[in-house]
Amino acid sequence: MANRTESSWTGFAPWLVSAMDGQGVGNASLALELQSYEVSENTIAKWRRGDTRPQVRFLPAIARALGRDPVELAIVIEALPPSYAARSQVEMAVRMSSLQAELADLYAVRGDERHRSRLSDLALAVSQTPGWSLSVSGAFSGPPADPLHLSTRLSFAHSDLENITHDAALDVFGALLQKLDASRAESKLGSVAFSSPVYARPSAPVGATHPQCTGVVVLSTTIKSFVPVFSRRLADRLSYGLTSALDLAANVAGKSIDEVLSPERAVQTFMLLRSPPERYVSYHYEATEIRDSLTVEALSTLPFDGAVAVWLRESRQLLQHAVLHRSETDQSSIAHDLDEALSHRAAVDEEIENLGERAIVVKVDLPPDVDPTISPSTIRDSRVVAALEAADVVADQLFASGLCTRLEENVYPPVVTRN
C-alpha cells in the first residue's frame, strides 16, 4: 500500500465525501473517531478536497468509522484489484503487513498501563456498590525456586449473599471483568474468584537484545496455557518483546479478547507469519476445532525471511485431552474435532519441515503419570514447569545454531517476573 503512486489515490477524496455524506458524518465527528491518530477537522477537510491524503495506517480506522469495508477503500485507492474482494481480509492483511511491528510496539507499551487503569476502574466500581467487596492478589505457579506470577486473582464477596455465585458477580461487574480478560477461577467458600492474565501480557523489548535473530513466531494447536508461558520465557531469554495474534486482533478491532472473532484472529495470525515484528516473540495457538485458519496458507506461500518458527507439536494424547475438555461436546463431535486437529498438525508438520533450519520443533505431551480425563487445572503447575524448561532448551538451541548470537557476559539482563 505504501508504495502506491499518487495517481492511485485519486478516488479517495470522492469516496470519503460520499461515505461521510451518506452516513451524515461531519468533519468533527470523524475527527473524534480518529482521535487516537491526532487527526483534526482541518486535516479531514483537506482530505475531502483532495489537497492531502491520510497515512496508510489510518485507512482501516477510517473505513470502520464510516461503516464501510476496509477492502472497499483499498480497492478505491488501487491497493487491491476488485477481484480481491472475496478474499478481502487476507489480502488486506498482506498489504498492511508492514504495520505489524508498529502495532506490536504500540499495544505492548499500552498493555501495562491499560491493565492498571482497568483494574482501578473495577476497584472503584466495587467500592461504590453497596454490599460488595473485592480482594486482589497474585496467583503464582511453577517451581518453588522460580515461581511465576501468572495472573491477578480477583475475589468477590457480598455481605448479603452467603452462597455467592460467579453469575452474581458477572451481573454487576461483567463488563469491567471482560475488559480485564478475566476468566472464572476456583473459589473459596463465601467468595467467587476470577483470574486476569499477567505473565502472558504483551510487552515491548527491554534493554540490550541478541542480534541476528530478527523475530520468533511460536505456533501450537491447542495448548493455550503452555504457549504464552513458553513464549514469555523465551522472550525473556532473548530480551525480546512479546505479542500474540489474539492480543493484536483484539486491539486492532478495539475489542476485548473474548469478543475477537475467529476470522479476525486468523487475519492477524496471517500477518504475524507474513511479517514477524523484529525483536519480538509472537505466539499463536489454534482452536481445537480448526476454523478460519490461515496458518498453513501463510507458512506455505510466505516463508520467513530471517525469522524463526517454533512449532510446539502436541502428541495425539494431548490433542485428545484438549478435545475432551471442550464444552458441550458429544462423541461424534469429539471424534470429528480430533480428526480436524490431527489433520491440521500434519499440514503444519509438512510446512515446518520445508522451513529447514529456520524452524524448531518442540514435542509436547501430557506430564508423566497424569490421567488425561482429569481437570486441566490439576496439571497446570506441571505444564508451567515443562514450558520453562522447553523455552530454555530452545533458547540454547538458537544460540548454538547461530540463529541468535549471545550477548557479552554482564550485558544479559536477568529474567524477571512481570507484575
Side-chain angles (χ1 to χ4, degrees), residues 216-246:
V216 179
V217 177
V218 180
L219 296 171
S220 185
T221 305
T222 62
I223 46 173
K224 60 183 181 181
S225 62
F226 190 99
V227 182
V229 174
F230 173 93
S231 301
R232 170 78 275 160
R233 178 67 156 211
L234 186 58
D236 286 339
R237 286 292 308 272
L238 300 176
S239 305
Y240 274 21
L242 181 75
T243 190
S244 73
L246 182 57

Short mmCIF file of all heavy atoms in Angstrom, two decimals, residues 216-246:
data_model
loop_
_atom_site.label_atom_id
_atom_site.label_comp_id
_atom_site.label_asym_id
_atom_site.label_seq_id
_atom_site.Cartn_x
_atom_site.Cartn_y
_atom_site.Cartn_z
N VAL A 216 10.73 -14.20 16.32
CA VAL A 216 10.41 -15.61 16.57
C VAL A 216 8.89 -15.73 16.63
O VAL A 216 8.23 -14.95 17.32
CB VAL A 216 11.01 -16.10 17.90
CG1 VAL A 216 10.62 -17.56 18.14
CG2 VAL A 216 12.53 -15.94 17.90
N VAL A 217 8.34 -16.71 15.90
CA VAL A 217 6.91 -16.99 15.95
C VAL A 217 6.70 -18.37 16.54
O VAL A 217 7.25 -19.36 16.04
CB VAL A 217 6.27 -16.91 14.55
CG1 VAL A 217 4.79 -17.27 14.63
CG2 VAL A 217 6.42 -15.52 13.96
N VAL A 218 5.94 -18.44 17.62
CA VAL A 218 5.64 -19.71 18.28
C VAL A 218 4.24 -20.15 17.87
O VAL A 218 3.27 -19.40 18.02
CB VAL A 218 5.72 -19.56 19.81
CG1 VAL A 218 5.40 -20.89 20.49
CG2 VAL A 218 7.11 -19.07 20.22
N LEU A 219 4.13 -21.36 17.36
CA LEU A 219 2.85 -21.90 16.89
C LEU A 219 2.47 -23.14 17.67
O LEU A 219 3.32 -23.95 18.04
CB LEU A 219 2.94 -22.26 15.41
CG LEU A 219 3.19 -21.12 14.43
CD1 LEU A 219 3.46 -21.69 13.04
CD2 LEU A 219 1.99 -20.19 14.40
N SER A 220 1.17 -23.31 17.92
CA SER A 220 0.68 -24.52 18.55
C SER A 220 -0.74 -24.78 18.09
O SER A 220 -1.36 -23.93 17.44
CB SER A 220 0.73 -24.40 20.07
OG SER A 220 0.35 -25.61 20.67
N THR A 221 -1.25 -25.94 18.45
CA THR A 221 -2.60 -26.30 18.02
C THR A 221 -3.64 -25.95 19.07
O THR A 221 -4.62 -25.29 18.77
CB THR A 221 -2.67 -27.82 17.70
OG1 THR A 221 -1.66 -28.12 16.73
CG2 THR A 221 -4.03 -28.19 17.14
N THR A 222 -3.43 -26.38 20.31
CA THR A 222 -4.49 -26.15 21.31
C THR A 222 -4.01 -25.72 22.69
O THR A 222 -4.79 -25.15 23.45
CB THR A 222 -5.32 -27.42 21.52
OG1 THR A 222 -4.47 -28.46 22.02
CG2 THR A 222 -5.97 -27.89 20.23
N ILE A 223 -2.79 -26.00 23.08
CA ILE A 223 -2.42 -25.87 24.49
C ILE A 223 -2.14 -24.42 24.88
O ILE A 223 -1.03 -24.00 25.09
CB ILE A 223 -1.22 -26.77 24.84
CG1 ILE A 223 -0.11 -26.62 23.79
CG2 ILE A 223 -1.65 -28.21 24.97
CD1 ILE A 223 1.16 -27.35 24.15
N LYS A 224 -3.23 -23.65 24.99
CA LYS A 224 -3.09 -22.22 25.20
C LYS A 224 -2.42 -21.87 26.53
O LYS A 224 -1.79 -20.83 26.64
CB LYS A 224 -4.45 -21.53 25.10
CG LYS A 224 -5.48 -22.01 26.10
CD LYS A 224 -6.81 -21.30 25.85
CE LYS A 224 -7.86 -21.76 26.84
NZ LYS A 224 -9.15 -21.08 26.60
N SER A 225 -2.54 -22.71 27.56
CA SER A 225 -1.90 -22.41 28.83
C SER A 225 -0.39 -22.60 28.76
O SER A 225 0.36 -21.98 29.52
CB SER A 225 -2.47 -23.30 29.94
OG SER A 225 -2.22 -24.67 29.66
N PHE A 226 0.07 -23.45 27.84
CA PHE A 226 1.50 -23.72 27.69
C PHE A 226 2.17 -22.67 26.81
O PHE A 226 3.28 -22.21 27.10
CB PHE A 226 1.66 -25.11 27.05
CG PHE A 226 3.07 -25.65 27.04
CD1 PHE A 226 3.47 -26.56 28.01
CD2 PHE A 226 3.97 -25.28 26.05
CE1 PHE A 226 4.77 -27.08 27.98
CE2 PHE A 226 5.25 -25.79 26.03
CZ PHE A 226 5.66 -26.70 27.00
N VAL A 227 1.48 -22.26 25.75
CA VAL A 227 2.08 -21.40 24.73
C VAL A 227 2.54 -20.04 25.26
O VAL A 227 3.68 -19.65 25.05
CB VAL A 227 1.14 -21.23 23.53
CG1 VAL A 227 1.79 -20.37 22.46
CG2 VAL A 227 0.73 -22.58 22.97
N PRO A 228 1.68 -19.28 25.96
CA PRO A 228 2.13 -17.97 26.41
C PRO A 228 3.26 -18.03 27.44
O PRO A 228 4.14 -17.17 27.44
CB PRO A 228 0.87 -17.32 27.00
CG PRO A 228 -0.06 -18.43 27.25
CD PRO A 228 0.24 -19.48 26.24
N VAL A 229 3.23 -19.04 28.32
CA VAL A 229 4.30 -19.17 29.31
C VAL A 229 5.62 -19.49 28.61
O VAL A 229 6.67 -18.91 28.92
CB VAL A 229 3.95 -20.25 30.35
CG1 VAL A 229 5.13 -20.50 31.28
CG2 VAL A 229 2.73 -19.84 31.15
N PHE A 230 5.58 -20.42 27.68
CA PHE A 230 6.77 -20.75 26.89
C PHE A 230 7.28 -19.51 26.16
O PHE A 230 8.48 -19.19 26.20
CB PHE A 230 6.42 -21.85 25.88
CG PHE A 230 7.51 -22.16 24.88
CD1 PHE A 230 8.42 -23.18 25.12
CD2 PHE A 230 7.65 -21.43 23.70
CE1 PHE A 230 9.43 -23.47 24.21
CE2 PHE A 230 8.65 -21.70 22.79
CZ PHE A 230 9.54 -22.71 23.04
N SER A 231 6.39 -18.78 25.53
CA SER A 231 6.78 -17.61 24.73
C SER A 231 7.33 -16.49 25.59
O SER A 231 8.29 -15.82 25.22
CB SER A 231 5.58 -17.12 23.91
OG SER A 231 5.09 -18.14 23.07
N ARG A 232 6.70 -16.30 26.76
CA ARG A 232 7.18 -15.27 27.68
C ARG A 232 8.61 -15.58 28.14
O ARG A 232 9.47 -14.70 28.19
CB ARG A 232 6.24 -15.20 28.88
CG ARG A 232 6.70 -14.36 30.07
CD ARG A 232 6.50 -12.88 29.82
NE ARG A 232 7.61 -12.27 29.10
CZ ARG A 232 7.52 -11.12 28.46
NH1 ARG A 232 6.37 -10.48 28.40
NH2 ARG A 232 8.57 -10.62 27.85
N ARG A 233 8.84 -16.82 28.51
CA ARG A 233 10.17 -17.21 28.96
C ARG A 233 11.20 -17.04 27.85
O ARG A 233 12.31 -16.54 28.08
CB ARG A 233 10.14 -18.68 29.42
CG ARG A 233 11.48 -19.22 29.87
CD ARG A 233 11.97 -18.55 31.15
NE ARG A 233 12.91 -19.38 31.87
CZ ARG A 233 13.05 -19.37 33.18
NH1 ARG A 233 12.32 -18.57 33.91
NH2 ARG A 233 13.93 -20.15 33.76
N LEU A 234 10.84 -17.46 26.63
CA LEU A 234 11.76 -17.32 25.51
C LEU A 234 12.04 -15.85 25.23
O LEU A 234 13.19 -15.46 24.95
CB LEU A 234 11.18 -18.01 24.27
CG LEU A 234 12.08 -18.07 23.04
CD1 LEU A 234 13.39 -18.79 23.34
CD2 LEU A 234 11.35 -18.75 21.88
N ALA A 235 11.01 -15.02 25.32
CA ALA A 235 11.20 -13.57 25.12
C ALA A 235 12.16 -13.01 26.17
O ALA A 235 13.03 -12.18 25.87
CB ALA A 235 9.86 -12.85 25.18
N ASP A 236 12.02 -13.46 27.41
CA ASP A 236 12.91 -13.01 28.47
C ASP A 236 14.36 -13.43 28.20
O ASP A 236 15.30 -12.67 28.42
CB ASP A 236 12.47 -13.55 29.82
CG ASP A 236 11.24 -12.85 30.37
OD1 ASP A 236 10.96 -11.73 29.92
OD2 ASP A 236 10.56 -13.42 31.23
N ARG A 237 14.54 -14.66 27.75
CA ARG A 237 15.89 -15.15 27.46
C ARG A 237 16.56 -14.36 26.34
O ARG A 237 17.77 -14.19 26.32
CB ARG A 237 15.84 -16.64 27.08
CG ARG A 237 15.59 -17.59 28.24
CD ARG A 237 16.76 -17.65 29.21
NE ARG A 237 18.03 -17.91 28.56
CZ ARG A 237 18.53 -19.11 28.31
NH1 ARG A 237 17.83 -20.19 28.66
NH2 ARG A 237 19.70 -19.26 27.73
N LEU A 238 15.76 -13.88 25.39
CA LEU A 238 16.29 -13.12 24.26
C LEU A 238 16.25 -11.62 24.49
O LEU A 238 16.73 -10.84 23.67
CB LEU A 238 15.50 -13.45 22.98
CG LEU A 238 15.51 -14.91 22.52
CD1 LEU A 238 14.60 -15.07 21.31
CD2 LEU A 238 16.92 -15.36 22.20
N SER A 239 15.64 -11.19 25.61
CA SER A 239 15.38 -9.78 25.89
C SER A 239 14.47 -9.17 24.83
O SER A 239 14.59 -7.99 24.48
CB SER A 239 16.70 -8.98 25.97
OG SER A 239 17.57 -9.53 26.92
N TYR A 240 13.59 -9.98 24.30
CA TYR A 240 12.65 -9.54 23.26
C TYR A 240 11.34 -9.09 23.89
O TYR A 240 11.04 -9.36 25.06
CB TYR A 240 12.35 -10.70 22.31
CG TYR A 240 13.34 -10.86 21.17
CD1 TYR A 240 14.62 -10.32 21.25
CD2 TYR A 240 13.00 -11.55 20.02
CE1 TYR A 240 15.53 -10.48 20.21
CE2 TYR A 240 13.89 -11.72 18.98
CZ TYR A 240 15.16 -11.19 19.08
OH TYR A 240 16.05 -11.34 18.06
N GLY A 241 10.53 -8.41 23.08
CA GLY A 241 9.16 -8.12 23.46
C GLY A 241 8.28 -9.33 23.20
O GLY A 241 8.71 -10.32 22.61
N LEU A 242 7.03 -9.25 23.64
CA LEU A 242 6.08 -10.35 23.46
C LEU A 242 4.77 -9.81 22.91
O LEU A 242 4.28 -8.76 23.34
CB LEU A 242 5.81 -11.03 24.81
CG LEU A 242 4.84 -12.21 24.78
CD1 LEU A 242 5.52 -13.44 24.17
CD2 LEU A 242 4.35 -12.53 26.19
N THR A 243 4.22 -10.52 21.94
CA THR A 243 2.90 -10.17 21.43
C THR A 243 2.22 -11.44 20.97
O THR A 243 2.84 -12.50 20.93
CB THR A 243 2.99 -9.13 20.30
OG1 THR A 243 1.68 -8.66 19.99
CG2 THR A 243 3.60 -9.73 19.04
N SER A 244 0.95 -11.35 20.64
CA SER A 244 0.22 -12.53 20.18
C SER A 244 -0.80 -12.13 19.14
O SER A 244 -1.25 -10.98 19.09
CB SER A 244 -0.49 -13.22 21.35
OG SER A 244 -1.61 -12.47 21.77
N ALA A 245 -1.20 -13.10 18.33
CA ALA A 245 -2.21 -12.85 17.31
C ALA A 245 -3.52 -12.41 17.96
O ALA A 245 -4.19 -11.49 17.49
CB ALA A 245 -2.43 -14.11 16.48
N LEU A 246 -3.88 -13.04 19.07
CA LEU A 246 -5.14 -12.72 19.73
C LEU A 246 -5.13 -11.30 20.29
O LEU A 246 -6.10 -10.55 20.14
CB LEU A 246 -5.40 -13.73 20.84
CG LEU A 246 -6.71 -13.57 21.60
CD1 LEU A 246 -7.89 -13.62 20.67
CD2 LEU A 246 -6.84 -14.67 22.66
#
